[in-house]
């Protein structure tokens, strides 16, 4: 079987490599980076010099898998391919598109007789060796056609999950958008897990004990309830970068899925405090929130006379805490109450 690949970055290039290494399927590969195409050819793919050339080298009904950044790059690629492809061909978006974009694109492609499949792909740079967990949405016919490639890309299912999801680590969840919806929530959960690990290791770093973070991460992988692949990666990071990660700046980007998860949860009245706090922590890591803290400091100084630290080099002396003087307490004026009417004594004198 044949498949075309557009986008040969870290994941796309490795996926092409895995398909060629582990199967007899043919891959036609294109990227605007000519060196990326050369690497794909070296790994057994057939190179293409344009989208038109890619489509030309594939026999109908065609399968073309896109691995480009979400948003405009994906939209433009889908639109260009749709103009080049024929009825009954299939476009597969394996990137991190928003699920609502998938629904719209699927409808646009359907009007041209082209199938659209969305595949939320997890595995990162390790997918070449361990495989990719894939969450799939789209029409049954197109997914069935794509199945031989999904089987090659996915890892073998562990024994515990075999009866639930089948022999390979991918699953079809429903119509267009369903795959990326599940992947969106997956990434939101990932934000929360990573933040929890980060906060725990930060506490170790500040503790009174001389603790080896790498060894703790390794230990937690031995039957602990918090063992995970992320914990294994933490151990690797501490071993490579040192116990204090001194060479790494505390600056964390986000790729959008956490925001989308929170948006969808809010729209459906689902509280997501852990995921939301994890996203906000990333925003703070990038220097955002500085003005917020300036306002907080200024307000504390204004209402409570608390000291404020001045920005170095601004020529102003630090604002000291203002002495709080007790205002004299004035005696409250005593007001006479209304006079009561005199009552006649009870008795017989009338």
């Amino acid at each position: 079987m044949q498949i075309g690949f557009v986008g040969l970055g870290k994941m796309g290039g490795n996926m092409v490599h895995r398909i060629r290494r582990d199967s007899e399927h043919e891959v036609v590969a294109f990227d605007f980076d000519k060196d990326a195409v050369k690497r794909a050819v070296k790994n057994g793919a057939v190179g293409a010099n344009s989208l038109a050339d890619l489509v030309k080298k594939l026999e109908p009904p065609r399968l073309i898998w896109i691995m480009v950044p979400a948003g405009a790059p994906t939209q433009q690629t889908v639109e260009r391919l749709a103009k080049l492809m024929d009825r009954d061909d299939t476009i597969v978006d394996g990137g991190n598109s928003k699920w609502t974009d998938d629904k719209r694109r699927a409808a646009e492609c359907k009007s041209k007789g082209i199938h659209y499949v969305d595949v939320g792909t997890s595995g990162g740079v390790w997918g070449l060796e361990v495989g990719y967990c894939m969450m799939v949405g789209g029409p049954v016919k197109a997914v069935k056609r794509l199945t031989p490639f999904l089987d090659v890309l996915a890892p073998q299912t562990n024994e515990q999950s075999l009866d639930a999801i089948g022999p390979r680590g991918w699953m079809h969840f429903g119509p267009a958008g369903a795959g990326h919806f599940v992947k969106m929530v997956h990434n939101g959960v990932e934000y929360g897990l990573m933040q929890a690990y980060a906060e725990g290791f930060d506490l170790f770093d500040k503790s009174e004990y001389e603790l080896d973070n790498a060894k703790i991460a390794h230990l937690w992988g031995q039957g602990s309830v918090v063992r995970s692949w992320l914990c294994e990666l933490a151990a690797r990071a501490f071993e490579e970068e040192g116990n204090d990660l001194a060479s790494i700046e505390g600056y964390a980007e986000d790729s959008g899925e956490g925001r989308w998860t929170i948006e969808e949860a809010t729209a459906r009245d689902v509280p997501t405090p852990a995921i939301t706090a994890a996203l906000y922590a990333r925003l703070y890591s990038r220097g955002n929130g500085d003005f917020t803290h300036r306002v907080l400091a200024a307000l504390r100084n204004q209402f409570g006379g608390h000291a404020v630290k001045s920005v170095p080099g601004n020529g102003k002396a630090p604002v000291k805490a203002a002495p709080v003087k007790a205002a004299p307490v004035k005696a409250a004026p005593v007001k006479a109450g209304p006079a009561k009417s005199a009552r006649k004594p009870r008795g017989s004198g009338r």
Side-chain angles (χ1 to χ4, degrees):
M1 291 184 69
Q2 280 185 315
I3 191 169
F5 257 81
V6 179
L8 305 173
K10 294 177 182 178
M11 288 186 69
N14 280 347
M15 294 172 88
V16 169
H17 188 178
R18 184 176 172 92
I19 291 171
R20 290 298 302 137
R21 185 193 66 189
D22 298 347
S23 75
E24 297 299 321
H25 301 311
E26 181 182 341
V27 180
V28 182
F30 170 71
D31 194 292
F32 289 106
D33 181 352
K34 293 182 180 179
D35 289 336
V37 176
K38 289 179 181 178
R39 288 192 294 271
V41 171
K42 187 177 179 180
N43 289 324
V46 175
N49 56 36
S50 67
L51 290 178
D53 186 41
L54 176 80
V55 172
K56 184 178 180 180
K57 289 179 176 178
L58 292 169
E59 298 177 3
R62 303 173 183 86
L63 283 170
I64 298 182
W65 188 303
I66 301 171
M67 288 297 288
V68 301
T74 296
Q75 182 64 31
Q76 292 166 6
T77 304
V78 170
E79 290 175 353
R80 291 172 184 173
L81 285 174
K83 292 177 181 178
L84 296 167
M85 298 171 75
D86 298 322
R87 296 183 69 83
D88 204 32
D89 287 349
T90 302
I91 294 174
V92 181
D93 178 10
N96 278 327
S97 290
K98 193 173 184 180
W99 64 281
T100 51
D101 290 340
D102 290 317
K103 294 176 68 175
R104 173 178 50 77
R105 290 178 190 138
E108 293 169 353
C109 288
K110 186 176 181 179
S111 68
K112 298 179 175 64
I114 297 172
H115 308 295
Y116 181 94
V117 176
D118 56 287
V119 180
T121 309
S122 181
V125 296
W126 296 90
L128 174 61
E129 298 304 325
V130 302
Y132 301 89
C133 173
M134 292 172 292
M135 295 143 265
V136 183
V140 173
K141 178 181 178 181
V143 173
K144 186 176 182 180
R145 186 180 295 168
L146 186 62
T147 293
F149 297 98
L150 296 172
D151 284 344
V152 174
L153 291 169
Q156 184 174 346
T157 306
N158 60 43
E159 185 176 351
Q160 182 180 1
S161 303
L162 185 62
D163 291 340
I165 64 173
R168 309 298 295 186
W170 68 272
M171 191 169 182
H172 183 204
F173 288 98
H180 276 146
F181 183 86
V182 176
K183 178 59 162 55
M184 174 189 74
V185 178
H186 163 284
N187 282 29
V189 171
E190 180 184 299
Y191 278 39
L193 292 173
M194 292 174 66
Q195 185 65 25
Y197 279 125
E199 291 173 7
F201 284 108
D202 192 4
L203 185 56
F204 290 150
D205 184 62
K206 303 297 190 300
S207 79
E208 64 184 277
Y209 302 104
E210 294 294 329
L211 300 174
D212 188 314
N213 289 327
K215 289 183 178 179
I216 291 173
H218 277 298
L219 176 63
W220 283 357
Q222 314 310 309
S224 165
V225 295
V226 298
R227 65 186 182 275
S228 72
W229 186 53
L230 286 173
C231 200
E232 293 174 18
L233 294 179
R236 177 188 174 93
F238 287 122
E239 288 174 340
E240 291 181 350
E241 304 294 340
N243 201 54
D244 58 0
L245 304 178
S247 63
I248 297 178
E249 183 182 357
Y251 185 101
E253 289 282 6
D254 72 282
S255 54
E257 295 89 341
R259 297 171 187 248
W260 302 338
T261 301
I262 295 165
E263 289 174 5
E264 182 66 17
T266 302
R268 297 184 181 277
D269 290 344
V270 177
T272 53
I275 297 173
T276 302
L279 173 63
Y280 287 179
R282 295 192 183 197
L283 300 184
Y284 277 123
S285 80
R286 304 201 287 269
N288 297 305
D290 178 67
F291 192 76
T292 300
H293 297 142
R294 290 171 188 245
V295 174
L296 287 174
L299 287 174
R300 291 186 77 246
N301 177 256
Q302 290 294 323
F303 74 69
H306 302 289
V308 175
K309 289 186 177 181
S310 294
V311 176
N314 72 346
K316 293 183 179 180
V319 180
K320 297 181 179 179
V324 180
K325 296 181 179 179
V329 179
K330 296 181 179 179
V334 179
K335 296 181 179 180
K340 297 181 179 179
S341 58
R343 294 183 180 178
K344 295 179 179 181
R346 294 183 180 182
S348 58
R350 291 185 178 177

